[in-house]
Amino acid sequence: MSTYVSNPDEAKEYQSRYKLFYIAIGFALTVFTMRLWYLQIISGNELREFSEKNRIKQNKITAPRGLMLDRDGKVLVENLPGFEAILSPQYIESLDELAKAVGPVLSMEPEKVILKVQKSRRQNGPFAQIRLKENLSREEVFRLKRMRLDTPGLEIRESIVRFYPLHDNGAQLFGYVGEISKRQLPILNEQYKGALKFDQGDIIGKSGLEETLEKDIRGSDGVSFIQVDAHGREAVTQTPNIYGEEIKDMIPVHGNNAILTIDRDIQEVAFKSFMSLNRIGAVVAMRANGEILAWVSTPSFDPNEFSTGISAQTWSKLINDPFKPLRNKVIQDHNAPGSTFKPLVAVPALQEKVITPTTIVSAPGVFYFGRRPYHDHLKGGHGNITVFEALERSSNVFFYKMGIALGVDKMFDYISLLGIGQKTGIELAREVSGTMPNSAWKKATVGEEWQPGENLSTAIGQGFVTVTPLSMAVAYNAIGTEGKVVKPFLLRKIIDQDGKVLRENFPQVVRDLQQTQSNGVHISPDTFKTVKEGLRRVANGDRGTAKHWKVPGVQMAGKTGTAQVMGFSADQIYAKCESRPIHMRHHGWFVAFAPADNPEITIAALAEHSCHGGSGAAPIVRDIIQAYFTKYHPEVIEAALKAKGGKRAQAPVIAPEVEGE
Amino acid sequence: MLTSLHVEERTLFKKLDINLIIVILALNVIGLINLWSATHGPTTQDVASLFISQIMWLVVGWTVFLVVTIVDYSIVMRIATIAYVLNLGAILYVTFFGKVALGAQRWIDLGFFRYQPSETMKLALIMVMAKILSTRTTFGRGMGLKELALPLIALLIPFVLVVEQPDLGTAMMLAAIGGSMMIFAKIRKSILATIIALGIIALPIAWQFVLHDYQKNRVLTFLSPTSDPRGTGYNSIQSKIAVGSGRFFGKGFMKGTQSQLEFLPERHTDFIYSVLSEEHGFVGSIAVIGLFCFLFITGIRIASNARDKFGALLAVGVLCYIFWHMFVNIGMVIGLLPIVGVPLPLLSYGGSSMLTTMAGLGLISSVAYRRYLF
């Protein structure tokens, strides 16, 4: 029925040209297929990941840190809900207007707001959120909430604020938290490799237990994923999970709680005692097994100011304070122990049989070694005395003689075993060891031979000897327990939120000195008993240097001491201390344990620039011991009070200074 | 009576090229499905109405297709010159009085429709070229300079006018279509070689004096897209991410995050193919290219069976039009060519493109329809 058009031959002329078309089509098909194969099959997974990154925004949900509780479960460090002002730079329409609106509400200069945003944009990109201000007041929250609708990019977010209910009490012990610094970030990530992962903006423990318990009390942060469109707006899809079900929010996990050995009641008594005496210094109270009960270092600071973003002004005040409030003086300051060193010298003197408990030694007011006079604090001297009286009255000349007889190396052999000149190993960073010298040490560090005269100054705790309060507590505790050198510790348990114990610390005896040690030294119970009796008399004897600070019903044993601050000659040490400018006054020491015969608690107190150990440091120790026995052995205190006819023995607040320490 | 009616219906049905119609319908359906997705994201409801207007353009397009099919294309030969001249006039008019969109395309607002004369110019050029070239009896060595003069002038006038608009994409399309038709009609090898050489020499000159900065940027960005990922390279990168992230089977209908969440720019027009690639993967992408290939092969068969040279050239011209649009658009979307504002025929949203394409396909259909004698 149908035939071709009149002259199909004419159109047939082109027949040979159609191959051009096939070539072009074939070319396009090949090139496109290869390219699509490359993009969708070879690079498909990578590009799929890119498209996921495009649309999914991660919001970090900070996990609360674990609490710190005292041995009775009382709160020492906790978290409080707070509010912070956050900016999401990608949504800001006009930075100038925002800064002008928000600045005054937050009492920030608008220029500062602009600078902060610009800096963050430069450093962290346009999508990183900026923490404008933390810990907003109620008023600020209220005012910001009202302006939020007109200010795109501004958010008020709930946050967690670390709270220290004891405020400046124990600030150096508990530490403080703050935002991780750029410099710290790689260091900490290396240090906690595999255990913790830190990101910019994270809040971390910066000092104290907050720092050393980071791994235990840090929770794991959660993440919430939100889907955003190309303009950064949250895009809610009508059908949930349409874009992939594999993305699930990660709920933050609360950090584990730390139960400390600290007793909040005793901690508060210790701090109150320090404050009421207006003392600078440190005190540490330790149970005989090494559990730390109280730990105070003053002057102090309020760590709550750090949690909420410390002002530059406050910070510079803290670091420029000559009395170093940020320093943990219990372990970071080492001072000459002064006369508190004498009982430690008495140990080798007795053990090496330089003296026996009954040996009578002449202790005049001045002692010539070579041609140089070495003075006692008492011009007339102490007469002929035994080691008991030497300790009770703190005779210098008695111990000069012990120093000469023993020599520094013998003293070193014993006293370093008691823990002097060594780190105690407490769970805190930046502990210093102090120094217990010997002749080899002097040669190595000073480069000179040991001078015989230095035996004398060493024997009364001056010269090269330096100690931390904590190491003194350990040494006295070893004397009190007749040989048990313990490792002091602060952390009893780490428990999770259900109360399950994850980690537990047990008391640890580092060495028992009644056993023969590696350097051949051992110390007999008799030696300890003799020294303990001397120390008992310090607090209880008629001429004891700490006799004014008794706790009714409890016998304590201890020793006062004075540490030279400036290099005065021996006879000037006690001259008109109170008349000097405060930074030049001597430090007062008192180290004690109680009960004297079988101690439960050992306390080392350093009262910086207080001139005297007795009046400066002993009252604090007394208050702590009283608080301890009132709490743990109320029957002892009550019985003593009853015996005195119900009248509570009142120790004088300002006691007459007993000569000689 | 009954029998004769039956015969006549069968005849009409038989005279239409069913393969052509089926493949166009298939691409229409895919285009609509894809456009639905591109216009119905969670935050893109404002463009949802575009889907309805695309359906309207499809109806208009098919009407034009059928009318053009049934009209004898010898009429087209007669009106070709007039259409060409009128179209040039329209281009001149918009160059001076038209409205500008996106810094380039110029149009006349007809109320219901933004008429872009440069778009219909493509068809007018095809008609005029077919008319001129079909009268050249050249076979053997191919066209010489004398034979080439007229078609070259016919091409250059609209080309220069469109470059001046300045709509480089459309101008390139005009050149590609006209050039392809001339090459198809056969040009002497020595002359072809000379033209290609001249073109290569002209390139740097054109770069220096003709191209606008934004056009240069597009080319530079294409050469190094990551140099400015948030600026000019953004479109190219996001499109590649969209295509690649579709992987083998795609993310599924309405589940393409790149397009749904607006990371893809111009997703319902120039970048419609990346929407398809993202949601339907390698399989879908190749299927669409396959459909286009089938369309071309059908078109070539029709052209080779045309009753005369004009018909063959007309069909070839329209095929060139569709081929080059497809090639440049997909090439751009998958990162093989710089970003040029060229729509994908039958899939991109847009009345001008849809009408021109359907009218052009109507011409092919008409050529098929007229190959039979009654």
Side-chain angles (χ1 to χ4, degrees):
Chain A
M1 189 180 103
S2 57
T3 53
Y4 279 110
V5 192
S6 52
N7 54 349
D9 291 345
E10 189 189 285
K12 294 285 179 224
E13 268 181 35
Y14 292 137
Q15 227 54 286
S16 65
R17 307 297 290 164
Y18 290 109
K19 68 172 187 283
L20 290 177
F21 250 104
Y22 288 113
I23 291 168
I25 295 163
F27 173 75
L29 187 63
T30 313
V31 169
F32 287 172
T33 307
M34 279 164 61
R35 178 66 175 177
L36 287 168
W37 184 268
Y38 170 76
L39 284 178
Q40 299 186 302
I41 312 299
I42 296 173
S43 319
N45 287 338
E46 188 192 351
L47 292 170
R48 173 69 67 98
E49 209 174 286
F50 283 4
S51 77
E52 294 297 284
K53 277 185 188 158
N54 260 346
R55 72 177 177 101
I56 291 162
K57 194 171 116 186
Q58 291 190 15
N59 271 358
K60 193 169 190 166
I61 312 166
T62 310
R65 291 169 78 80
L67 312 182
M68 290 189 207
L69 307 168
D70 86 340
R71 57 193 302 122
D72 302 324
K74 287 183 191 152
V75 172
L76 297 169
V77 180
E78 62 180 322
N79 304 309
L80 290 182
F83 291 95
E84 53 191 10
I86 298 285
L87 285 182
S88 301
Q90 70 266 35
Y91 310 133
I92 296 175
E93 281 168 8
S94 160
L95 183 54
D96 282 336
E97 275 173 37
L98 180 136
K100 268 182 210 144
V102 174
V105 176
L106 299 178
S107 48
M108 289 170 83
E109 302 267 313
E111 294 79 44
K112 213 177 139 193
V113 175
I114 293 173
L115 277 179
K116 214 166 178 175
V117 174
Q118 284 170 343
K119 193 179 160 199
S120 166
R121 272 182 175 157
R122 207 167 46 238
Q123 289 179 348
N124 309 325
F127 295 105
Q129 292 187 328
I130 301 158
R131 202 181 273 135
L132 206 55
K133 194 176 180 189
E134 291 165 281
N135 200 36
L136 302 173
S137 69
R138 279 161 160 266
E139 168 76 12
E140 284 168 336
V141 171
F142 180 68
R143 288 178 67 187
L144 284 183
K145 271 193 175 156
R146 274 193 310 186
M147 61 191 293
R148 199 175 43 177
L149 282 179
D150 310 323
T151 322
L154 175 70
E155 271 176 67
I156 302 159
R157 205 162 58 186
E158 277 183 52
S159 63
I160 302 159
V161 179
R162 197 66 160 163
F163 181 64
Y164 303 87
L166 295 180
H167 295 274
D168 44 0
N169 180 6
Q172 299 84 355
L173 171 68
F174 306 123
Y176 57 88
V177 293
E179 203 172 303
I180 192 165
S181 71
K182 264 218 162 103
R183 192 182 54 79
Q184 268 180 310
L185 189 60
I187 299 170
L188 286 180
N189 272 329
E190 185 60 37
Q191 185 185 333
Y192 287 107
K193 214 171 187 176
L196 297 177
K197 170 88 180 69
F198 296 93
D199 293 315
Q200 213 168 16
D202 277 3
I203 300 293
I204 56 158
K206 292 269 190 177
S207 76
L209 287 168
E210 290 278 24
E211 182 187 8
T212 46
L213 296 181
E214 185 76 48
K215 200 171 147 186
D216 297 300
I217 62 178
R218 185 180 186 78
S220 52
D221 291 338
V223 185
S224 73
F225 296 97
I226 60 164
Q227 176 170 275
V228 292
D229 66 10
H231 316 289
R233 296 175 299 203
E234 182 166 0
V236 182
T237 46
Q238 288 114 331
T239 329
N241 287 336
I242 194 169
Y243 293 122
E245 284 130 277
E246 73 276 10
I247 301 159
K248 285 216 173 72
D249 288 1
M250 266 160 54
I251 299 159
V253 181
H254 197 297
N256 297 316
N257 293 348
I259 296 181
L260 305 183
T261 59
I262 296 291
D263 184 316
R264 181 170 162 166
D265 300 325
I266 296 174
Q267 176 78 20
E268 285 187 286
V269 166
F271 189 70
K272 222 168 96 187
S273 183
F274 245 99
M275 289 294 110
S276 65
L277 290 167
N278 201 19
R279 289 276 185 265
I280 298 164
V283 66
V284 57
M286 182 177 86
R287 285 188 65 196
N289 62 5
E291 291 174 357
I292 304 289
L293 292 170
W295 182 300
V296 169
S297 178
T298 65
S300 195
F301 60 94
D302 189 349
N304 292 312
E305 291 184 26
F306 285 87
S307 328
T308 58
I310 191 162
S311 72
Q313 206 182 351
T314 317
W315 173 249
S316 89
K317 218 176 96 190
L318 282 177
I319 55 170
N320 292 321
D321 190 321
F323 299 115
K324 310 263 183 263
L326 290 171
R327 192 181 285 183
N328 193 340
K329 293 174 179 174
V330 177
I331 52 168
Q332 290 171 1
D333 259 9
H334 48 106
N335 289 292
S339 302
T340 55
F341 201 63
K342 288 170 183 167
L344 310 187
V345 176
V347 170
L350 287 159
Q351 188 65 34
E352 290 290 318
K353 306 270 189 285
V354 173
I355 48 165
T356 66
T358 53
T359 308
I360 290 168
V361 177
S362 160
V366 63
F367 175 74
Y368 285 88
F369 184 73
R371 266 180 297 171
R372 193 177 160 190
Y374 286 80
H375 294 267
D376 200 279
H377 50 84
L378 212 63
K379 278 228 165 72
H382 300 281
N384 295 328
I385 53 171
T386 62
V387 66
F388 301 116
E389 283 118 10
L391 285 171
E392 179 182 348
R393 306 181 201 166
S394 196
S395 161
N396 281 356
V397 174
F398 182 93
F399 284 98
Y400 291 149
K401 289 181 173 175
M402 297 302 116
I404 295 162
L406 284 164
V408 73
D409 291 332
K410 218 61 207 172
M411 287 192 274
F412 174 87
D413 285 349
Y414 283 82
I415 294 171
S416 57
L417 282 179
L418 289 166
I420 300 301
Q422 288 160 21
K423 290 183 185 177
T424 63
I426 189 108
E427 315 98 306
L428 288 172
R430 295 176 281 279
E431 181 186 10
V432 299
S433 61
T435 308
M436 178 60 216
N438 63 7
S439 50
W441 171 86
K442 193 186 172 192
K443 195 138 192 215
T445 53
V446 187
E448 287 169 20
E449 290 298 326
W450 186 264
Q451 301 298 314
E454 286 165 348
N455 288 330
L456 280 71
S457 54
T458 301
I460 62 157
Q462 307 282 4
F464 293 115
V465 188
T466 58
V467 297
T468 62
L470 186 60
S471 66
M472 283 307 271
V474 170
Y476 271 59
N477 190 62
I479 292 170
T481 56
E482 299 178 7
K484 306 261 189 310
V485 178
V486 295
K487 182 178 173 184
F489 64 103
L490 287 157
L491 177 71
R492 282 183 88 182
K493 286 178 207 168
I494 294 291
I495 55 168
D496 68 11
Q497 291 304 306
D498 304 323
K500 204 180 106 198
V501 176
L502 301 175
R503 186 151 83 81
E504 197 164 357
N505 270 351
F506 295 99
Q508 208 179 321
V509 175
V510 180
R511 51 188 169 263
D512 183 350
L513 298 180
Q514 292 190 17
Q515 310 298 320
T516 306
Q517 301 299 308
S518 58
N519 60 358
V521 166
H522 82 102
I523 301 165
S524 67
D526 285 344
T527 298
F528 285 122
K529 285 195 167 78
T530 307
V531 177
K532 280 165 75 176
E533 171 57 18
L535 293 177
R536 192 192 63 79
R537 289 197 199 176
V538 171
N540 301 285
D542 292 340
R543 298 185 66 180
T545 53
K547 64 178 178 183
H548 299 289
W549 294 279
K550 289 195 185 75
V551 176
V554 184
Q555 276 208 333
M556 71 174 164
K559 183 73 193 77
T560 55
T562 309
Q564 267 179 249
V565 172
M566 314 297 274
F568 301 107
S569 63
D571 57 340
Q572 286 179 323
I573 290 177
Y574 307 105
K576 292 186 234 144
C577 173
E578 281 86 351
S579 59
R580 297 195 189 121
I582 186 158
H583 69 276
M584 287 172 74
R585 294 180 197 169
H586 303 310
H587 297 332
W589 278 100
F590 188 62
V591 189
F593 50 83
D597 49 347
N598 187 20
E600 288 184 21
I601 179 172
T602 305
I603 299 152
L606 167 68
E608 291 178 350
H609 312 295
S610 67
C611 290
H612 306 284
S615 57
I620 297 162
V621 174
R622 189 264 327 270
D623 288 351
I624 293 172
I625 288 177
Q626 182 153 345
Y628 176 85
F629 283 93
T630 307
K631 177 166 180 178
Y632 292 95
H633 302 285
E635 70 288 347
V636 175
I637 305 284
E638 274 163 30
L641 291 176
K642 228 170 251 169
K644 286 201 170 184
K647 262 204 263 167
R648 200 181 155 164
Q650 203 62 49
V653 176
I654 307 296
E657 188 47 48
V658 175
E659 291 166 72
E661 292 177 343
Chain B
M1 188 65 203
L2 207 82
T3 318
S4 77
L5 189 70
H6 175 74
V7 167
E8 196 161 312
E9 271 185 357
R10 227 191 79 199
T11 310
L12 184 79
F13 187 71
K14 238 189 149 180
K15 283 197 283 189
L16 285 174
D17 193 301
I18 292 304
N19 284 338
L20 181 70
I21 289 170
I22 287 173
V23 72
I24 295 170
L25 276 174
L27 285 165
N28 284 155
V29 171
I30 290 171
L32 283 179
I33 292 171
N34 203 38
L35 188 69
W36 177 272
S37 176
T39 52
H40 288 77
T43 54
T44 54
Q45 303 300 339
D46 49 328
V47 289
S49 64
L50 296 182
F51 183 77
I52 306 296
S53 57
Q54 181 79 343
I55 288 182
M56 193 196 82
W57 287 120
L58 259 181
V59 172
V60 177
W62 273 99
T63 312
V64 171
F65 177 90
L66 289 172
V67 169
V68 174
T69 301
I70 291 165
V71 170
D72 192 329
Y73 63 82
S74 58
I75 292 169
V76 173
M77 191 165 179
R78 263 175 267 151
I79 62 162
T81 315
I82 302 161
Y84 177 79
V85 172
L86 282 176
N87 217 318
L88 279 181
I91 290 178
L92 273 172
Y93 175 81
V94 293
T95 306
F96 296 110
F97 308 108
K99 295 182 177 170
V100 183
L102 299 169
Q105 278 139 14
R106 289 177 182 253
W107 34 269
I108 301 166
D109 202 338
L110 299 178
F112 65 100
F113 176 51
R114 290 172 172 180
Y115 170 55
Q116 288 178 27
S118 56
E119 200 59 39
T120 51
M121 189 68 228
K122 290 168 186 166
L123 272 189
L125 181 72
I126 290 166
M127 294 187 218
V128 142
M129 289 294 262
K131 185 177 177 181
I132 297 169
L133 291 172
S134 65
T135 57
R136 296 284 183 274
T137 48
T138 53
F139 271 88
R141 293 167 61 214
M143 289 186 284
L145 274 180
K146 211 169 75 186
E147 292 89 357
L148 268 176
L150 192 58
L152 263 180
I153 290 165
L155 170 59
L156 275 174
I157 296 170
F159 178 78
V160 169
L161 285 177
V162 176
V163 165
E164 280 304 301
Q165 281 196 358
D167 184 355
L168 205 68
T170 308
M172 299 281 281
M173 281 297 127
L174 288 173
I177 294 164
S180 304
M181 288 178 77
M182 283 189 270
I183 291 167
F184 177 81
K186 203 168 185 184
I187 302 171
R188 239 173 253 171
K189 273 188 186 117
S190 57
I191 292 172
L192 189 61
T194 314
I195 291 171
I196 290 169
L198 280 174
I200 291 168
I201 294 165
L203 258 180
I205 298 167
W207 177 264
Q208 198 65 37
F209 299 107
V210 182
L211 289 189
H212 287 245
D213 279 347
Y214 79 91
Q215 291 165 333
K216 287 185 198 174
N217 271 342
R218 280 180 181 176
V219 177
L220 289 174
T221 303
F222 166 70
L223 295 175
S224 163
T226 48
S227 61
D228 181 15
R230 278 266 151 202
T232 41
Y234 180 80
N235 294 5
S236 176
I237 288 173
Q238 292 298 348
S239 178
K240 272 189 263 180
I241 291 175
V243 173
S245 65
R247 300 196 289 207
F248 195 76
F249 289 111
K251 295 176 182 171
F253 177 60
M254 295 286 283
K255 292 179 186 173
T257 56
Q258 286 288 104
S259 57
Q260 297 285 300
L261 299 171
E262 303 182 24
F263 293 99
L264 260 184
E266 306 292 326
R267 59 203 168 282
H268 55 280
T269 55
D270 292 351
F271 286 91
I272 195 77
Y273 188 74
S274 20
V275 177
L276 183 123
S277 289
E278 186 186 19
E279 298 192 344
H280 305 288
F282 185 73
V283 176
S285 311
I286 292 295
V288 166
I289 293 175
L291 280 174
F292 271 107
C293 288
F294 186 70
L295 176 66
F296 295 139
I297 290 162
T298 309
I300 292 165
R301 226 198 50 238
I302 290 170
S304 64
N305 286 334
R307 74 175 179 205
D308 51 27
K309 283 170 86 175
F310 177 71
L313 282 167
L314 208 54
V316 163
V318 174
L319 288 178
C320 287
Y321 166 87
I322 296 171
F323 176 80
W324 283 117
H325 275 78
M326 183 211 76
F327 187 79
V328 172
N329 178 279
I330 295 182
M332 158 188 97
V333 158
I334 63 180
L336 288 173
L337 294 170
I339 305 292
V340 185
V342 170
L344 183 60
L346 299 174
L347 270 79
S348 284
Y349 168 80
S352 288
S353 169
M354 181 60 77
L355 278 187
T356 318
T357 308
M358 289 307 284
L361 288 168
L363 288 175
I364 296 181
S365 177
S366 179
V367 171
Y369 192 80
R370 296 292 154 189
R371 76 189 146 131
Y372 298 113
L373 288 175
F374 287 88

